[in-house]
Amino acid sequence: MFVDYWEYFVDYWFEKSYLEIIRTFWYFFILELPRFLLFDFIIVVSVILNRQNLRRRYQKARKLLWAEMPLISVIVPGKNEGKHLYKLVNSLKEQTYFNYELIVVDDGSDDETPLIGRDLEKNGYIDKFVRNDVRGGKASAANLALRYTNGKYIVHLDADTSFDRDSIENILLPFYFGENIGAVGGNIKVRNAEDSFCSTLQAIEYLNTISMGRIVSTELGIYRIISGAFGAFRTDVIKRLGGWDIGPGLDGDITVKFRKLGYKIHFEPKAVGLTNAPTNFPTLSKQRLRWSKSLIRFRIRKHSDIYIPGKNFNLLNFISFIENVTYDVILNFLWWFYILDIVINNMRMLAIIIPLKVFMYMIMDFVQFTLILMISERWKKEIKLYLYLPAMVFYNSYYMRFIRTMAYFKEIFWFSSYKDPWNPAKTSIKAFRNKL
């Protein structure tokens, strides 16, 4: 039976014309192959060919950084993060760049965080520990930290993030590239990739969407979100903006506000931060529902002026938004039409077409992952993730697409991001009233 099926599979591929194959798999060939493979290939080739120029650029920036050696303010807002603080302190102590102040804000924790934080401050491990007695949300905590900052640059971290020894130094270097760079995003990778099947798939996803995807978007000038887990900002610009707006989605929101002021946003692949990913799918689903709702809230509602010629209009900002909304929202809905099209027009051939579709996506994933490893600083460790690539077809094309679709419907019709328990109700109500 397997032999017969394989013969049908091969016959379908060679008997159909190119146009018939493209007609059946139009979504893959026209929309996804160029986006997820063509641009990646061009950028990787460009990076490899320009390694000498890039090396000289970094050497020049490093000399300028160390000649000035500015004070930087590392801020860590969060709730119930006491268990991570000692590891964070040790990770920062091992950094090659050491001229920093560490400010930790406890946002209404109900565990031992206040005791741990004050003890670390008393013993000189933390420069400033402050506490919100009543939880105000992550943006509120970050703004409280902002009051105490003295550094030229702010590095915003999550407490559970750890780093390569030169990560802080590397995230500062782009500010010395001689360009109008206002903020720099770090390269977030999954630390607990081996904890579960769920976290392993996220390790691959982070390499695709962050390590590779943000290199591409930076080169195209449309990089649009600096992760709150590891990002650096010019302090004067942050204060000019009045800090972070309250409510969820603060990472993407502050990045857009920087872009609106005319500053460039840079992704730095050499500034590696490691974070723990959810180890089970229910927790992951809640996280991604929240992330996906933010796209509707900020890209379509709050910053809708990006689409209209006026004082905030900028061609690259416009392209960045259009690309994001088109591929992540419009084409997400179009994919369901694509599946319906396959089912309706190829009912008798589904047993051949569906496996063939999966096979093509697997090939694309393998090629894309190979490109990622070609420019990764820890490819020897990440190469074993090849074994899990076949599962990424189902993770990305079905599971994640279903999560995003749910999130978009909930946010478009019911504004559900304002009801998310991740953010305090009082700040969500205020954000809703002020259209934040």
Side-chain angles (χ1 to χ4, degrees):
M1 181 178 292
F2 176 78
V3 175
D4 291 339
Y5 179 81
W6 178 250
E7 289 179 353
Y8 280 121
F9 187 85
V10 173
D11 288 344
Y12 178 88
W13 185 256
F14 286 101
E15 289 178 2
K16 296 292 183 179
S17 68
Y18 292 132
L19 289 178
E20 288 176 314
I21 292 175
I22 292 174
R23 167 62 185 89
T24 302
F25 303 104
W26 56 269
Y27 192 94
F28 173 81
F29 286 111
I30 297 175
L31 300 175
E32 297 210 306
L33 189 62
R35 188 200 188 200
F36 293 113
L37 202 56
L38 180 60
F39 282 119
D40 288 7
F41 176 78
I42 293 172
I43 296 302
V44 168
V45 170
S46 175
V47 168
I48 292 174
L49 293 178
N50 287 288
R51 274 180 174 166
Q52 283 296 112
N53 291 332
L54 289 171
R55 189 176 292 113
R56 285 193 290 269
R57 187 187 196 192
Y58 279 101
Q59 287 174 346
K60 180 180 178 181
R62 186 167 281 107
K63 287 180 180 179
L64 293 172
L65 170 65
W66 283 104
E68 180 183 5
M69 206 168 79
L71 175 69
I72 66 168
S73 300
V74 179
I75 67 171
V76 186
K79 178 185 178 183
N80 292 343
E81 298 286 6
K83 59 184 176 294
H84 301 298
L85 291 180
Y86 188 73
K87 290 182 180 179
L88 175 66
V89 166
N90 282 335
S91 183
L92 290 172
K93 283 175 63 177
E94 295 173 354
Q95 290 296 303
T96 56
Y97 193 85
F98 47 82
N99 190 24
Y100 66 86
E101 59 179 1
L102 177 57
I103 303 168
V104 176
V105 178
D106 172 25
D107 188 33
S109 294
D110 51 20
D111 63 358
E112 299 300 312
T113 296
L115 294 175
I116 296 171
R118 291 190 181 110
D119 183 64
L120 289 171
E121 181 186 34
K122 180 180 178 181
N123 288 283
Y125 295 104
I126 292 175
D127 294 284
K128 190 71 177 178
F129 178 82
V130 290
R131 170 176 164 81
N132 282 328
D133 291 326
V134 179
R135 182 182 172 220
K138 194 171 184 180
S140 174
N143 289 332
L144 180 57
L146 186 60
R147 299 181 191 176
Y148 298 95
T149 56
N150 299 297
K152 181 177 181 179
Y153 303 106
I154 289 173
V155 177
H156 184 292
L157 305 177
D158 283 347
D160 66 345
T161 308
S162 57
F163 312 92
D164 287 356
R165 291 190 67 251
D166 56 358
S167 290
I168 298 295
E169 179 180 351
N170 284 334
I171 205 169
L172 296 174
L173 292 179
F175 290 113
Y176 294 86
F177 283 169
E179 300 174 359
N180 189 31
I181 292 175
V184 181
N187 187 4
I188 302 300
K189 297 192 175 188
V190 173
R191 179 173 51 232
N192 62 331
E194 298 180 358
D195 283 4
S196 70
F197 181 61
C198 180
S199 60
T200 300
L201 296 184
Q202 289 170 84
I204 299 172
E205 179 193 19
Y206 275 48
L207 288 170
N208 287 338
T209 60
I210 297 180
S211 298
M212 175 61 79
R214 294 182 181 178
I215 290 176
V216 173
S217 62
T218 291
E219 292 299 318
L220 296 176
I222 60 174
Y223 177 33
R224 55 183 171 265
I225 182 168
I226 291 178
S227 172
F230 188 24
F233 306 86
R234 279 180 47 175
T235 304
D236 60 331
V237 182
I238 283 277
K239 291 185 176 180
R240 176 183 169 188
L241 289 168
W244 288 263
D245 284 349
I246 59 173
L250 67 161
D251 305 342
D253 183 43
I254 196 69
T255 308
V256 173
K257 291 168 76 175
F258 264 78
R259 292 187 66 106
K260 279 185 174 182
L261 289 179
Y263 292 98
K264 293 182 179 179
I265 309 299
H266 184 86
F267 173 72
E268 182 44 63
K270 295 183 178 183
V272 178
L274 303 175
T275 188
N276 284 333
T279 56
N280 60 77
F281 287 102
T283 302
L284 175 61
S285 298
K286 291 178 181 178
Q287 180 197 69
R288 298 313 175 85
L289 280 169
R290 185 176 73 249
W291 289 4
S292 296
K293 291 172 189 176
S294 294
L295 192 156
I296 302 296
R297 178 169 170 173
F298 295 106
R299 307 287 180 199
I300 295 179
R301 291 201 187 106
K302 180 176 180 179
H303 295 291
S304 59
D305 55 343
I306 289 288
Y307 303 102
I308 304 170
K311 66 176 183 178
N312 288 324
F313 185 81
N314 175 282
L315 183 59
L316 282 178
N317 290 348
F318 175 78
I319 293 172
S320 176
F321 268 46
I322 288 294
E323 188 272 342
N324 193 194
V325 172
T326 298
Y327 274 97
D328 290 341
V329 181
I330 297 174
L331 296 190
N332 186 77
F333 288 118
L334 184 62
W335 182 86
W336 295 100
F337 172 79
Y338 165 59
I339 295 299
L340 186 63
D341 175 50
I342 287 180
V343 172
I344 292 175
N345 293 299
N346 301 277
M347 183 67 71
R348 297 176 60 185
M349 299 294 294
L350 288 181
I352 300 296
I353 289 176
I354 297 300
L356 182 56
K357 175 178 174 292
V358 170
F359 177 73
M360 289 191 299
Y361 275 92
M362 284 184 181
I363 294 297
M364 183 176 72
D365 287 342
F366 272 92
V367 175
Q368 184 185 38
F369 195 71
T370 300
L371 292 172
I372 292 170
L373 294 185
M374 289 173 66
I375 58 175
S376 175
E377 83 294 338
R378 41 169 51 82
W379 65 270
K380 291 182 180 179
K381 181 178 181 180
E382 294 163 347
I383 195 170
K384 59 188 175 183
L385 295 174
Y386 266 122
L387 297 173
Y388 298 90
L389 284 178
M392 292 303 294
V393 177
F394 305 98
Y395 177 83
N396 284 323
S397 294
Y398 299 96
Y399 170 69
M400 278 300 169
R401 207 177 294 274
F402 180 73
I403 294 295
R404 287 196 297 270
T405 302
M406 285 182 59
Y408 297 154
F409 271 114
K410 287 184 176 183
E411 186 62 21
I412 290 171
F413 295 107
W414 295 287
F415 295 77
S416 63
S417 67
Y418 294 96
K419 305 168 188 174
D420 197 312
W422 184 84
N423 204 57
K426 63 177 183 179
T427 57
S428 288
I429 292 171
K430 184 176 180 180
F432 182 75
R433 288 173 178 171
N434 292 279
K435 298 181 180 179
L436 296 177

